[in-house]
């Protein structure tokens, strides 16, 4: 099990940027694929992006592709989500998650450990 703690959320105007961080405990961070998900008020949690163990491959939801960038630093046990050109519809609680499986995916049920979330609010 890995403990995940997100940070970096806040209030930003539309068109602005935020960088989320997710710090992981333990010495096995590099053995996990990592994902970001989000949940807006009244909606189900949805996939945002994932990055494979090595950091060599990433994948994004259509709604954020070209605006968000996921990255990781295995030496620092941290995964990041750089969010640019933010829109009001990006307002949500953002969660990072760790996947011990072989193949990373977009299904939240495949992820084993979750952080508590960090609120991102984009004003129009």
């Amino acid at each position: 099990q890995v403990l995940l703690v997100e940070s970096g959320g806040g209030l930003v105007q539309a068109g602005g940027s935020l960088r989320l961080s997710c710090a992981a405990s333990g010495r096995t961070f590099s053995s996990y694929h990592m994902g970001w998900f989000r949940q807006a008020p009244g909606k189900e949690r949805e996939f945002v992006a994932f990055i494979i163990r090595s950091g060599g491959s990433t994948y994004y939801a259509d709604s954020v592709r070209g605006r968000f960038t996921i990255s990781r630093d295995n030496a620092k046990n941290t995964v990041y989500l750089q969010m640019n050109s933010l829109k009001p519809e990006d307002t949500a609680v953002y969660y990072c998650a760790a996947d011990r499986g072989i193949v990373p995916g977009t299904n939240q049920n495949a992820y084993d450990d979750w952080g508590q979330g960090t609120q991102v609010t984009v004003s129009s």
Side-chain angles (χ1 to χ4, degrees):
Q1 184 178 3
V2 62
L3 179 63
L4 303 172
V5 179
E6 302 96 336
S7 62
L11 174 64
V12 64
Q13 289 188 333
S17 298
L18 281 176
R19 187 196 197 201
L20 306 183
S21 299
C22 173
S25 65
R27 295 174 290 179
T28 59
F29 178 71
S30 61
S31 67
Y32 293 86
H33 304 305
M34 297 298 297
W36 284 97
F37 291 77
R38 67 186 181 184
Q39 187 167 20
K43 296 187 177 180
E44 294 186 354
R45 190 159 55 184
E46 65 176 6
F47 168 78
V48 175
F50 73 65
I51 186 167
I52 66 170
R53 295 181 178 94
S54 67
S57 182
T58 58
Y59 185 77
Y60 299 90
D62 289 343
S63 58
V64 307
R65 188 175 291 116
R67 300 187 297 122
F68 290 11
T69 302
I70 188 172
S71 61
R72 67 190 296 164
D73 185 336
N74 285 344
K76 296 182 178 180
N77 283 9
T78 302
V79 62
Y80 305 96
L81 186 68
Q82 177 66 45
M83 305 185 296
N84 298 329
S85 302
L86 282 161
K87 305 175 182 179
E89 51 263 43
D90 294 318
T91 294
V93 177
Y94 283 72
Y95 300 89
C96 68
D99 177 5
R100 291 191 290 264
I102 296 174
V103 179
T106 62
N107 188 335
Q108 60 180 314
N109 294 325
Y111 288 78
D112 303 289
D113 301 296
W114 292 81
Q116 295 286 72
T118 185
Q119 177 71 47
V120 171
T121 302
V122 184
S123 63
S124 57

